[in-house]
Amino acid sequence: MNQHLIYIYMERRWWMTLLIIMCLLVSSTGRGLNIKSKVSSQLYNHTLAVTMGQYASAVYMSDLIDLFTWTCSRCDGLTEGFEVIELIVDIQNCLQAFVGVADDLDAIVIAFRGTQETSIQNWIEDLFWKQLDFDYPGCTNGKVHHGFFNAYNNTTVRPGILDGVSRAREVYGDLKIMVTGHSMGGAMAAFCGLDLALMYGSKNVQVTTFGMPRIGNAAFASYYSEVVPNTFRVTHAHDLVPHLPPYYQYFPQKTYHHFPREVWLYNIGFGFLIYPVEMICDGSGEDPNCSRSVSGNSISDHLSYFGIEMGCDTSSKCKIVMAPSLASYGKIDDNGNFALSKTPTKFILKKKLNHAVSDQ
């Protein structure tokens, strides 16, 4: 009898222990680590997000003539009147970005191209196996994805971006800076925004990304959110890229961790009653009620945001269209990389006219 009671007691204790362990595991699948920011972030603006989406789409264009002159098929709508002053093409690493001035936003806009369709499947498969492998300078215990860090910091992209921003600020003064990008371009946009916020101050830089992957651990996410609080990561339905590299929910301190703030786009309803939703997520960066609440299994969701086509206008990897007339705007290095530069004109004239009127 005593042995039977001991058996029942041990069995209950075993089940109680298992229940406690399960509760601990479930709690670790929640909102991840709290990400704190000392600077208040801006309110989400739908129209501005769509505008940034159009810039993120335009940078994919392969015809550099139309892109540099802002006459491409994606260079209209909310971005009409934009003027490119720096176009960087890193042939060696298959990267592309531009810097320009938007007079309606009264801002410098920077956009980075994402992964091309011909290599996106291999890129996605590769992300499953990527590990945190690089200590971020100036960030205690912060680790980041080495490839994304290098794509911005150790190619011809960063010097070209900084040159374009510096020239624009020489002309216009203390303009705000808006950075955007889709997919891998979003990862580069985040590192660029961090770079510029450290140079020009957190209040002067805003970042909006689309379908970007995780780029660092929780320590880096906290550091980033303090330096660049005006950041919005837009995700779409079942887009699989924001789920990569994987978030290991049982090890929140060690795994990759998104920084805030996510805005999740999805539809509700069925049949003819379909309503689009833009859900502003919590400040953890890993809100379980947003994109993490669904499986990330869609490439088609990755290639469309707000109905805007994200991706290249040609299936050829790193294909570009040039013209001899563009040669005078830049130089090509030994590896074939180049940057096209020009002095802004439209915005300058508008500014001068406004000043002349106000002085009378």
Side-chain angles (χ1 to χ4, degrees), residues 47 50-55 58 70-82 102-105 308:
T47 302
V50 175
T51 303
M52 291 298 104
Q54 291 188 359
Y55 283 118
W70 206 248
T71 56
C72 68
S73 59
R74 302 183 187 180
C75 303
D76 54 12
L78 294 173
T79 68
E80 187 175 359
F82 179 72
D103 56 354
D104 57 336
L105 298 175
I308 302 169

Side-chain angles (χ1 to χ4, degrees), residues 14 27 32 42 62 67 81 84 94 96 138 145-146 166 198 205 232-233 262 289 310-311 316 318 323:
W14 183 86
S27 66
Q42 292 182 353
S62 59
L67 185 58
V84 177
C94 196
Q96 187 165 299
H145 185 286
H146 193 267
S166 177
L198 290 171
V205 179
F232 292 100
R233 290 186 303 101
E262 178 186 5
N289 298 311
M310 297 288 180
S316 299
C318 294

Side-chain angles (χ1 to χ4, degrees), residues 56-62 74 113-115 182-183 310-313:
S57 174
V59 73
Y60 275 103
M61 300 300 291
S62 59
R74 302 183 187 180
R113 186 179 68 188
T115 309
H182 167 256
S183 195
M310 297 288 180
C312 298
D313 58 327

Side-chain angles (χ1 to χ4, degrees), residues 5 34 81 87 97 114 127 143-144 178 190 204 209-210 224 252 259 279 307 344-345 349 357-358:
L5 289 174
N34 289 327
L87 175 58
L127 277 183
K143 288 185 175 295
V144 296
M178 297 182 175
N204 296 316
T209 68
F210 301 88
Y224 178 94
F259 49 75
M279 182 173 178
T345 55
L349 292 175
V357 171
S358 62

